């Protein structure tokens, strides 16, 4: 920390949110109050810039509706929520007593539910994992965002690995595939723009004409869930025109011959029919990719939220292996760089898996929590879920098929504890709501899935009201449960010092605010993938079509003829920031983008109230006739809190709980609906 004046100081921080940028922050504190949050100019990927959301973080921290005191429910769960203030001791005593009673029958009836409300290693699962391991609670498969793509990279590269962010600036061709980078990956966009100014061609591949597509040289608006077919079509043209690096394939790729035979079955005309684009677009994209060097791909997670999402990621990830793009540091692909940090993390030291003492609890998939909460006890499922502890997540808003999620949370016999900053949709259905600290109020350490630094977040201000860090809640609860292992008494700083291996100097990290991982510029120039053989794995990758589409479910498509995707609204981050008025004012209201042709066929005018519906539910919102929607596809921008929508619902009213081809992830963008006047 440095001091600009006696009562002003600058504190080093890190953005906690589920975003690849993981920005290094500088928080200005005056007289104990945070007055400004800025990006650290000295950090290479942050380079002093922040998104609109995080630059307004003090507005969120000091929000008038911030939860500052523990609350206990005094109403039924099927009526308007009413709570009364209680002390922390009263809340913790009662929670511990309830959990002890349930655990005495079967601890697997207790389920943690968390995701990336913070991505910090300490306030995320640092103390929580210890608590649930000791308890023997059900495990949670944290799949809701990225696990299909993660498993695809694991199978293809051996881990979640990719290019260095900064070298995109040197690329001559960049395919921005399934990513609205201007909205969700701002610092990558800075490097892409540098490349563009230097003469690089930028191509956006996305069903929606995003703000990013507006700034690219070309936009290819394929149908949702057809990315794998497009990748196979590109391979077909690479083979047909001999745009392959045969030497790189021979030395560093396994399983190519079988994949080659599959690719030869995907000429441009077939790809065009499946993807809803033209054969010339396929040929032109393949020509650009096969003849331009260095060529880079920035892939993002939207395209893997369909049935075949994992295979689609595998196929795209293999493209730079076929052309030898990995030989150049400005060539290759980036979906996630989180695997680079894995060898430097001490997760066993944080999680303490030995506290399980040989037990092997069942696993509940967070993406099917709606079904799980409604499931009865059975030999195959195990005990019915009797208690949920929710932190760093808002499942009632973000989980698919929300009518079932709501019904499950409304169970009178379900005991639910929620750690939160605000009264979210999920908090409204809790038995206890406990005030959590924000990133400005606690210590944490972070890795990134978009760059290759580790960062520290120092507490900038004292906790507001009676808010407490997640770690302190689990410490206090462990004490009341009778857990006396020394690990439950460790401080946040103790945890932070254990989080990384010796290669990460904690004092140096604290001094600078971040530390770059020691990695080569061109990590796969000579192969060296993290697979058992050291080669990229091509075997088994194939196109897997959607569950719901005109091609695969024609009878369903007769009733619900429009494909729907639900990309994030630009000024929200999943369901975070929805209640920040200045950001909500920009987004205005829940809406669905619809092409003029589809709107006219339904008598829909711009700005009219409509309902998007299928057999799972109905979502009420305003229609926006927009060129951002391609014919046959509607874009339900999310994720709004249900209670802020005109019908007390959001876009997940119509999504389903069926899972992806690998990674057990949700298929949010694999969804058919009809849209009609409300």
């Amino acid at each position: 920390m440095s001091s600009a004046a006696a009562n002003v100081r600058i504190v080093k921080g890190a953005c906690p949110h589920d975003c690849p940028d993981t920005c290094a922050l500088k928080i200005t504190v005056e007289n104990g109050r945070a007055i400004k949050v800025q990006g650290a100019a000295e950090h290479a990927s942050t380079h002093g810039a922040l998104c609109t959301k995080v630059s307004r973080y003090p507005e969120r921290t000091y929000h008038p509706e911030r939860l500052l005191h523990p609350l206990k429910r005094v109403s039924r769960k099927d009526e308007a929520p009413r709570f009364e203030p209680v002390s922390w001791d009263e809340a913790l005593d009662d929670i511990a007593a309830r959990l002890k009673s349930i655990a005495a029958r079967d601890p697997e009836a207790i389920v943690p539910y968390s995701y990336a409300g913070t991505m910090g290693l300490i306030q995320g699962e640092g103390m929580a994992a210890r608590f649930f391991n000791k308890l023997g609670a059900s495990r949670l498969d944290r799949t809701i965002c990225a696990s299909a793509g993660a498993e695809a990279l694991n199978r293809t590269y051996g881990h979640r690995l990719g290019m260095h962010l900064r070298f995109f600036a040197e690329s001559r061709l960049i395919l921005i595939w399934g990513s609205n980078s201007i909205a969700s990956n701002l610092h990558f966009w800075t490097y892409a723009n540098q490349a563009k100014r230097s003469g690089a061609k930028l191509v956006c591949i996305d069903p929606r004409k995003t703000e990013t597509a507006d700034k690219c040289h070309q936009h290819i608006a394929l149908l949702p869930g057809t990315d794998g077919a497009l990748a196979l079509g590109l391979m077909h043209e690479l083979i047909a025109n001999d745009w392959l690096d045969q030497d790189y394939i021979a030395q560093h790729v396994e399983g190519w011959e079988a994949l080659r035979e599959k690719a030869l079955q995907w000429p441009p005309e077939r790809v065009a029919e499946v993807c809803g684009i033209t054969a010339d677009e396929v040929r032109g994209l393949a020509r650009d990719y096969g003849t331009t060097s260095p060529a880079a791909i920035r892939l993002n997670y939207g395209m893997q939220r369909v049935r075949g999402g994992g295979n689609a990621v595998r196929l795209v990830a293999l493209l730079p292996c076929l052309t030898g793009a990995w030989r150049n540091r400005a060539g290759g692909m980036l979906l996630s760089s989180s695997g680079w940090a894995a060898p430097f993390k001490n997760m066993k030291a944080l999680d303490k898996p030995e506290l399980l003492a040989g037990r092997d609890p069942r696993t509940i998939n967070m993406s099917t929590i709606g079904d799980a909460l409604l499931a009865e006890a059975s030999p195959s499922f195990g005990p019915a879920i009797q208690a949920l502890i929710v932190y760093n997540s808002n499942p009632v808003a973000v989980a698919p098929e929300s009518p079932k999620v709501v019904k499950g949370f409304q169970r009178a016999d379900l005991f639910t504890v929620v750690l939160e900053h605000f009264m979210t949709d999920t908090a409204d259905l809790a038995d206890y709501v406990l005030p959590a600290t924000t990133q400005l109020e606690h210590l944490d350490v972070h890795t990134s899935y978009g760059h290759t630094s580790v960062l520290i977040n120092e507490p900038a201000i004292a906790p507001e009201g009676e808010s407490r860090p997640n770690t302190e809640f689990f410490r206090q609860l462990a004490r009341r449960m009778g857990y006396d292992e020394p690990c439950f008494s460790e401080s946040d700083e103790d945890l932070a010092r254990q989080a990384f291996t010796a290669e990460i100097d904690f004092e140096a990290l604290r001094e600078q605010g971040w530390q770059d991982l020691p990695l080569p510029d061109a990590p796969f120039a000579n192969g060296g993938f993290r697979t058992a053989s050291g080669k990229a794995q091509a075997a088994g990758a194939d196109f897997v079509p959607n569950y719901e589409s005109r091609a695969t479910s024609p009878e369903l498509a007769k009733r619900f003829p429009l494909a729907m995707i639900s990309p994030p609204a630009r000024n929200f981050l999943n369901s975070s920031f929805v209640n920040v008025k200045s950001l909500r004012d920009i987004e205005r209201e829940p809406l669905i983008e619809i092409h003029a042709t589809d709107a006219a066929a339904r008598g829909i005018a711009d700005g009219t109230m409509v309902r998007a519906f299928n057999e799972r539910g109905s979502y009420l919102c305003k229609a926006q006739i927009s060129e951002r929607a391609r014919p046959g596809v509607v874009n339900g921008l999310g994720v709004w809190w249900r209670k802020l929508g005109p019908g007390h619902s959001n876009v997940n009213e119509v999504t389903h709980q069926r899972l992806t081809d690998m990674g057990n992830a949700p298929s949010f963008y694999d969804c058919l609906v009809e849209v009609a006047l409300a």
Side-chain angles (χ1 to χ4, degrees):
M1 299 179 191
S2 62
S3 178
N7 61 346
V8 176
R9 58 196 181 97
I10 306 296
V11 182
K12 299 178 181 70
C15 178
H17 291 288
D18 188 2
C19 167
D21 293 24
T22 316
C23 294
L25 306 179
K26 287 188 172 181
I27 301 109
T28 303
V29 179
E30 183 175 359
N31 296 325
R33 186 176 178 87
I35 61 171
K36 186 187 298 183
V37 174
Q38 299 169 287
E42 303 86 357
H43 184 240
S45 65
T46 304
H47 47 255
L50 291 182
C51 67
T52 304
K53 300 178 284 287
V54 176
S55 65
R56 301 185 189 188
Y57 207 85
E59 184 179 344
R60 190 170 188 271
T61 298
Y62 298 119
H63 196 289
E65 296 174 1
R66 171 90 185 272
L67 286 168
L68 299 177
H69 308 284
L71 300 173
K72 180 179 180 179
R73 185 177 209 89
V74 294
S75 62
R76 297 196 318 269
K77 292 181 182 177
D78 60 354
E79 63 184 18
R82 288 180 289 113
F83 292 84
E84 64 180 14
V86 293
S87 69
W88 267 101
D89 284 341
E90 181 181 346
L92 286 164
D93 288 346
D94 190 27
I95 293 167
R98 297 283 293 270
L99 295 183
K100 282 182 181 179
S101 176
I102 295 169
R105 298 188 294 273
D106 193 331
E108 292 184 27
I110 301 168
V111 177
Y113 197 101
S114 66
Y115 197 64
T118 176
M119 298 198 73
L121 301 184
I122 310 307
Q123 304 305 333
E125 305 302 326
M127 189 62 71
R130 298 177 179 188
F131 176 83
F132 290 115
N133 282 339
K134 175 66 177 178
L135 179 63
S138 290
R139 296 184 175 102
L140 185 72
D141 197 2
R142 293 176 171 86
T143 60
I144 204 161
C145 180
S147 61
E151 179 60 20
L153 291 183
N154 290 342
R155 295 188 189 187
T156 309
Y157 293 167
H159 216 310
R160 298 180 297 280
L161 307 170
M163 288 174 59
H164 291 285
L165 185 68
R166 64 188 182 276
F167 296 137
F168 277 94
E170 302 171 8
S171 303
R172 302 300 299 165
L173 173 72
I174 303 177
L175 308 187
I176 303 176
W177 202 320
S179 176
N180 186 9
S181 306
I182 288 176
S184 61
N185 195 188
L186 178 64
H187 297 84
F188 156 75
W189 181 249
T190 301
Y191 290 117
N193 246 340
Q194 289 180 27
K196 183 181 178 183
R197 288 193 296 270
S198 298
K201 181 175 182 178
L202 273 54
V203 180
C204 179
I205 304 169
D206 199 301
R208 180 173 182 255
K209 191 174 187 293
T210 62
E211 295 88 345
T212 303
D214 292 341
K215 303 294 185 182
C216 290
H217 297 93
Q218 183 181 10
H219 174 219
I220 297 177
L222 75 178
L223 288 167
T226 63
D227 304 83
L230 178 57
L232 284 166
L234 297 182
M235 292 181 190
H236 178 282
E237 292 300 283
L238 295 177
I239 297 166
N241 293 282
D242 195 23
W243 292 326
L244 300 171
D245 186 329
Q246 300 287 0
D247 182 62
Y248 194 93
I249 294 170
Q251 293 191 55
H252 306 307
V253 180
E254 283 186 339
W256 166 236
E257 285 305 315
L259 180 57
R260 182 181 184 278
E261 293 307 308
K262 292 176 186 174
L264 288 174
Q265 299 170 30
W266 285 90
E269 290 74 18
R270 182 186 180 191
V271 175
E273 183 178 357
V274 170
C275 296
I277 57 178
T278 68
D280 283 345
E281 285 178 300
V282 180
R283 294 189 185 94
L285 182 63
R287 184 182 305 107
D288 286 343
Y289 189 71
T291 62
T292 307
S293 180
I297 300 172
R298 180 58 172 111
L299 195 61
N300 216 336
Y301 288 103
M303 56 84 74
Q304 49 100 69
R305 295 187 180 125
V306 294
R307 178 191 179 194
N311 267 284
V313 170
R314 290 201 67 203
L315 291 166
V316 175
L318 286 163
L319 289 171
C321 302
L322 304 183
T323 62
W326 281 115
R327 294 186 187 276
N328 192 300
R329 70 180 190 178
M333 189 205 73
L334 176 62
L335 171 63
S336 174
S337 60
S338 62
W340 294 123
F344 301 93
K345 293 196 290 188
N346 259 335
M347 296 314 297
K348 287 185 177 180
L350 289 179
D351 296 349
K352 302 290 185 188
E354 63 271 19
L355 293 169
L356 281 166
R359 296 169 294 178
D360 186 21
R362 69 174 175 186
T363 297
I364 300 293
N365 189 328
M366 70 186 307
S367 298
T368 55
I369 191 64
D371 283 343
L373 287 174
L374 299 175
E376 297 180 355
S378 70
S380 58
F381 181 71
I385 297 173
Q386 298 177 41
L388 272 176
I389 299 181
V390 181
Y391 53 103
N392 302 332
S393 188
N394 182 13
V396 173
V398 304
E401 202 169 353
S402 57
K404 287 186 175 181
V405 180
V406 171
K407 186 177 180 181
F409 270 86
Q410 285 180 330
R411 281 174 37 201
D413 63 337
L414 178 70
F415 180 62
T416 304
V417 178
V418 174
L419 282 62
E420 252 301 349
H421 303 140
F422 300 101
M423 288 301 297
T424 63
D425 293 328
T426 306
D428 282 345
L429 292 172
D431 293 281
Y432 281 97
V433 184
L434 304 176
T437 46
T438 69
Q439 188 77 343
L440 303 187
E441 298 162 314
H442 56 229
L443 177 69
D444 217 330
V445 291
H446 291 258
T447 59
S448 173
Y449 64 92
H451 61 70
T452 52
S453 302
V454 300
L455 306 93
I456 191 167
N457 182 80
E458 301 278 9
I461 58 173
E464 289 285 293
E466 295 183 87
S467 62
R468 294 182 179 180
N470 292 347
T471 47
E472 186 60 18
F473 164 76
F474 286 109
R475 281 190 201 96
Q476 295 293 331
L477 189 57
R479 189 169 299 131
R480 284 166 170 81
M481 297 288 287
Y483 303 161
D484 57 4
E485 286 84 353
C487 67
F488 290 110
S489 298
E490 290 179 341
S491 67
D492 285 3
E493 182 167 331
D494 293 333
L495 295 174
R497 289 181 178 276
Q498 296 174 49
F500 298 118
T501 59
E503 290 89 343
I504 305 300
D505 185 310
F506 185 78
E507 297 304 331
L509 178 63
R510 174 163 266 181
E511 175 65 26
Q512 185 176 12
W514 64 87
Q515 187 170 332
D516 295 327
L517 299 176
L519 300 168
D521 286 354
F524 304 130
N526 299 301
F529 295 93
R530 297 293 177 87
T531 59
S533 66
K535 298 182 178 182
Q537 300 297 305
D542 202 355
F543 171 60
V544 178
N546 278 6
Y547 290 110
E548 298 187 2
S549 71
R550 289 179 181 272
T552 59
S553 46
E555 291 303 313
L556 186 70
K558 289 178 183 177
R559 291 187 291 146
F560 309 113
L562 297 172
M564 188 195 76
I565 60 173
S566 46
R570 181 171 182 174
N571 291 286
F572 303 154
L573 205 161
N574 300 320
S575 74
S576 296
F577 296 98
V578 178
N579 64 318
V580 175
K581 186 177 185 302
S582 65
L583 297 173
R584 195 167 70 247
D585 286 347
I586 299 171
E587 296 296 336
R588 299 197 311 276
E589 57 197 335
L591 59 84
I592 193 163
E593 296 171 341
I594 185 168
H595 190 271
T597 303
D598 294 322
R602 292 161 175 79
I604 294 170
D606 189 57
T608 55
M609 293 299 297
V610 297
R611 60 189 187 98
F613 63 95
N614 54 28
E615 55 197 7
R616 292 179 289 272
S618 179
Y619 170 43
L620 189 68
C621 60
K622 276 194 177 176
Q624 183 176 86
I625 298 176
S626 174
E627 289 298 319
R628 297 205 180 281
R630 60 157 288 160
V633 180
V634 292
N635 309 319
L637 304 183
V639 178
W640 283 81
W641 291 3
R642 290 169 55 87
K643 62 183 176 182
L644 295 178
H648 295 282
S649 64
N650 69 14
V651 72
N652 282 318
E653 199 81 7
V654 296
T655 55
H656 59 73
Q657 295 181 73
R658 284 173 287 184
L659 301 176
T660 53
D661 52 353
M662 61 187 76
N664 298 317
S667 304
F668 286 113
Y669 298 179
D670 184 338
C671 178
L672 288 178
V673 300
E674 179 59 289
V675 177
L677 290 169

Short mmCIF file of all heavy atoms in Angstrom, two decimals, residues 25 57 66 69 117 121 138 161 208 242 251 256 343 361 413 433 448 464 510 565 571 613 640 650:
data_model
loop_
_atom_site.label_atom_id
_atom_site.label_comp_id
_atom_site.label_asym_id
_atom_site.label_seq_id
_atom_site.Cartn_x
_atom_site.Cartn_y
_atom_site.Cartn_z
N LEU A 25 -6.65 -4.65 -9.47
CA LEU A 25 -7.36 -3.43 -9.09
C LEU A 25 -6.51 -2.53 -8.20
O LEU A 25 -5.62 -2.99 -7.49
CB LEU A 25 -8.64 -3.78 -8.32
CG LEU A 25 -9.63 -4.74 -8.98
CD1 LEU A 25 -10.82 -4.99 -8.05
CD2 LEU A 25 -10.08 -4.22 -10.33
N TYR A 57 -17.93 -0.69 -8.64
CA TYR A 57 -18.00 -1.61 -7.51
C TYR A 57 -18.34 -0.92 -6.19
O TYR A 57 -19.08 -1.48 -5.38
CB TYR A 57 -16.70 -2.40 -7.38
CG TYR A 57 -16.90 -3.74 -6.73
CD1 TYR A 57 -17.30 -4.85 -7.48
CD2 TYR A 57 -16.71 -3.91 -5.37
CE1 TYR A 57 -17.50 -6.08 -6.89
CE2 TYR A 57 -16.91 -5.14 -4.76
CZ TYR A 57 -17.31 -6.22 -5.52
OH TYR A 57 -17.52 -7.43 -4.93
N ARG A 66 -28.04 -3.33 0.45
CA ARG A 66 -27.04 -4.31 0.89
C ARG A 66 -27.49 -4.98 2.19
O ARG A 66 -27.98 -4.34 3.12
CB ARG A 66 -25.71 -3.58 1.10
CG ARG A 66 -24.60 -4.37 1.76
CD ARG A 66 -23.75 -5.13 0.77
NE ARG A 66 -22.78 -5.95 1.49
CZ ARG A 66 -21.57 -5.55 1.90
NH1 ARG A 66 -21.16 -4.32 1.61
NH2 ARG A 66 -20.76 -6.36 2.56
N HIS A 69 -27.25 -7.45 8.13
CA HIS A 69 -27.55 -8.14 9.38
C HIS A 69 -28.15 -9.51 9.07
O HIS A 69 -28.84 -9.67 8.05
CB HIS A 69 -28.53 -7.33 10.24
CG HIS A 69 -28.09 -5.92 10.46
ND1 HIS A 69 -27.08 -5.57 11.34
CD2 HIS A 69 -28.51 -4.77 9.89
CE1 HIS A 69 -26.91 -4.26 11.31
NE2 HIS A 69 -27.76 -3.75 10.43
N GLY A 117 -19.58 -16.71 -7.69
CA GLY A 117 -19.88 -15.37 -7.21
C GLY A 117 -18.61 -14.66 -6.79
O GLY A 117 -18.46 -13.45 -6.94
N LEU A 121 -9.71 -18.22 -4.22
CA LEU A 121 -9.41 -19.52 -3.64
C LEU A 121 -9.76 -19.58 -2.16
O LEU A 121 -9.97 -20.67 -1.63
CB LEU A 121 -7.92 -19.85 -3.83
CG LEU A 121 -7.41 -19.88 -5.27
CD1 LEU A 121 -5.95 -20.33 -5.29
CD2 LEU A 121 -8.25 -20.79 -6.14
N SER A 138 -22.98 -34.25 0.79
CA SER A 138 -22.90 -34.53 -0.64
C SER A 138 -21.90 -33.58 -1.29
O SER A 138 -21.77 -32.42 -0.90
CB SER A 138 -24.27 -34.34 -1.30
OG SER A 138 -25.16 -35.35 -0.91
N LEU A 161 -5.63 -25.39 -21.30
CA LEU A 161 -4.45 -24.64 -21.69
C LEU A 161 -4.71 -23.87 -22.97
O LEU A 161 -5.52 -24.29 -23.81
CB LEU A 161 -3.26 -25.59 -21.88
CG LEU A 161 -2.96 -26.53 -20.70
CD1 LEU A 161 -1.94 -27.57 -21.12
CD2 LEU A 161 -2.48 -25.74 -19.49
N ARG A 208 -25.63 -14.68 -32.84
CA ARG A 208 -26.11 -13.31 -32.61
C ARG A 208 -25.14 -12.31 -33.23
O ARG A 208 -23.92 -12.49 -33.15
CB ARG A 208 -26.24 -13.05 -31.10
CG ARG A 208 -26.74 -11.67 -30.73
CD ARG A 208 -26.99 -11.55 -29.23
NE ARG A 208 -27.51 -10.23 -28.89
CZ ARG A 208 -26.80 -9.27 -28.29
NH1 ARG A 208 -25.53 -9.48 -27.95
NH2 ARG A 208 -27.34 -8.10 -28.04
N ASP A 242 -4.87 -28.94 -49.21
CA ASP A 242 -3.54 -29.21 -48.67
C ASP A 242 -3.01 -28.02 -47.87
O ASP A 242 -1.86 -27.59 -48.04
CB ASP A 242 -2.56 -29.58 -49.80
CG ASP A 242 -1.29 -30.22 -49.24
OD1 ASP A 242 -1.35 -30.77 -48.11
OD2 ASP A 242 -0.25 -30.17 -49.90
N GLN A 251 3.98 -35.46 -35.90
CA GLN A 251 4.75 -35.48 -34.66
C GLN A 251 3.92 -35.23 -33.40
O GLN A 251 4.26 -35.73 -32.33
CB GLN A 251 5.86 -34.42 -34.72
CG GLN A 251 6.93 -34.70 -35.75
CD GLN A 251 8.11 -33.77 -35.58
OE1 GLN A 251 8.70 -33.67 -34.50
NE2 GLN A 251 8.45 -33.05 -36.65
N TRP A 256 -5.52 -38.67 -35.88
CA TRP A 256 -5.90 -37.82 -37.00
C TRP A 256 -6.54 -38.61 -38.14
O TRP A 256 -7.50 -38.13 -38.77
CB TRP A 256 -4.69 -37.04 -37.52
CG TRP A 256 -4.88 -36.40 -38.86
CD1 TRP A 256 -4.12 -36.58 -39.98
CD2 TRP A 256 -5.91 -35.49 -39.25
NE1 TRP A 256 -4.60 -35.84 -41.03
CE2 TRP A 256 -5.70 -35.15 -40.60
CE3 TRP A 256 -7.00 -34.92 -38.59
CZ2 TRP A 256 -6.53 -34.29 -41.31
CZ3 TRP A 256 -7.83 -34.05 -39.29
CH2 TRP A 256 -7.59 -33.73 -40.62
N PRO A 343 -0.46 -26.39 -11.58
CA PRO A 343 0.69 -26.93 -10.84
C PRO A 343 1.17 -26.02 -9.70
O PRO A 343 1.96 -26.45 -8.85
CB PRO A 343 1.78 -27.05 -11.91
CG PRO A 343 1.06 -27.02 -13.21
CD PRO A 343 -0.13 -26.15 -12.99
N PRO A 361 -18.82 -39.54 -0.46
CA PRO A 361 -20.20 -39.08 -0.60
C PRO A 361 -20.63 -39.02 -2.06
O PRO A 361 -19.82 -38.92 -2.98
CB PRO A 361 -20.17 -37.66 0.01
CG PRO A 361 -18.92 -37.61 0.83
CD PRO A 361 -17.95 -38.52 0.15
N ASP A 413 -40.17 -28.54 3.95
CA ASP A 413 -39.27 -29.37 4.75
C ASP A 413 -37.80 -29.20 4.37
O ASP A 413 -36.94 -29.91 4.88
CB ASP A 413 -39.66 -30.84 4.62
CG ASP A 413 -39.52 -31.36 3.19
OD1 ASP A 413 -39.55 -30.54 2.25
OD2 ASP A 413 -39.39 -32.59 3.01
N VAL A 433 -30.78 -15.90 5.97
CA VAL A 433 -29.96 -15.13 5.04
C VAL A 433 -28.90 -14.42 5.85
O VAL A 433 -29.22 -13.65 6.76
CB VAL A 433 -30.79 -14.12 4.24
CG1 VAL A 433 -29.91 -13.42 3.22
CG2 VAL A 433 -31.97 -14.79 3.55
N SER A 448 -6.45 -17.09 -12.83
CA SER A 448 -7.29 -16.59 -13.92
C SER A 448 -7.49 -17.68 -14.95
O SER A 448 -6.66 -18.58 -15.09
CB SER A 448 -6.62 -15.38 -14.58
OG SER A 448 -7.32 -14.97 -15.74
N GLU A 464 -18.89 -3.83 6.14
CA GLU A 464 -20.07 -3.03 6.42
C GLU A 464 -21.03 -3.80 7.33
O GLU A 464 -21.22 -5.01 7.16
CB GLU A 464 -20.78 -2.69 5.11
CG GLU A 464 -20.05 -1.68 4.24
CD GLU A 464 -20.18 -0.27 4.80
OE1 GLU A 464 -21.29 0.29 4.81
OE2 GLU A 464 -19.14 0.27 5.25
N ARG A 510 2.26 -10.09 -2.40
CA ARG A 510 1.63 -9.03 -1.61
C ARG A 510 2.22 -7.67 -1.95
O ARG A 510 1.50 -6.66 -1.99
CB ARG A 510 1.79 -9.35 -0.12
CG ARG A 510 1.32 -8.30 0.83
CD ARG A 510 1.13 -8.87 2.23
NE ARG A 510 -0.25 -9.28 2.43
CZ ARG A 510 -0.72 -9.80 3.56
NH1 ARG A 510 0.11 -10.04 4.58
NH2 ARG A 510 -1.99 -10.11 3.68
N ILE A 565 -31.28 -18.65 -27.72
CA ILE A 565 -30.06 -18.59 -26.91
C ILE A 565 -30.27 -17.50 -25.86
O ILE A 565 -31.12 -16.62 -26.01
CB ILE A 565 -28.80 -18.33 -27.75
CG1 ILE A 565 -28.89 -16.99 -28.50
CG2 ILE A 565 -28.57 -19.48 -28.73
CD1 ILE A 565 -27.61 -16.60 -29.22
N ASN A 571 -24.31 -5.38 -19.41
CA ASN A 571 -23.98 -4.70 -18.15
C ASN A 571 -24.24 -5.54 -16.91
O ASN A 571 -24.17 -5.03 -15.80
CB ASN A 571 -24.72 -3.37 -18.08
CG ASN A 571 -24.20 -2.38 -19.09
OD1 ASN A 571 -23.12 -1.82 -18.92
ND2 ASN A 571 -24.94 -2.20 -20.18
N PHE A 613 -42.27 -19.18 -24.87
CA PHE A 613 -42.79 -20.30 -24.11
C PHE A 613 -42.50 -21.62 -24.81
O PHE A 613 -42.24 -21.69 -26.01
CB PHE A 613 -44.30 -20.15 -23.89
CG PHE A 613 -45.13 -20.16 -25.15
CD1 PHE A 613 -45.71 -21.34 -25.62
CD2 PHE A 613 -45.31 -19.00 -25.90
CE1 PHE A 613 -46.46 -21.36 -26.79
CE2 PHE A 613 -46.07 -19.01 -27.07
CZ PHE A 613 -46.64 -20.19 -27.52
N TRP A 640 -31.59 -11.84 -15.79
CA TRP A 640 -32.33 -10.97 -14.88
C TRP A 640 -32.80 -11.76 -13.67
O TRP A 640 -33.11 -12.96 -13.76
CB TRP A 640 -33.54 -10.39 -15.60
CG TRP A 640 -33.21 -9.27 -16.54
CD1 TRP A 640 -32.73 -9.39 -17.82
CD2 TRP A 640 -33.33 -7.87 -16.28
NE1 TRP A 640 -32.54 -8.14 -18.36
CE2 TRP A 640 -32.91 -7.19 -17.45
CE3 TRP A 640 -33.77 -7.12 -15.19
CZ2 TRP A 640 -32.91 -5.80 -17.55
CZ3 TRP A 640 -33.77 -5.74 -15.28
CH2 TRP A 640 -33.34 -5.09 -16.44
N ASN A 650 -37.69 -15.40 -15.47
CA ASN A 650 -36.62 -14.99 -16.38
C ASN A 650 -36.43 -16.04 -17.45
O ASN A 650 -37.23 -16.99 -17.56
CB ASN A 650 -35.32 -14.66 -15.63
CG ASN A 650 -34.64 -15.87 -15.02
OD1 ASN A 650 -34.95 -17.02 -15.34
ND2 ASN A 650 -33.71 -15.63 -14.12
#
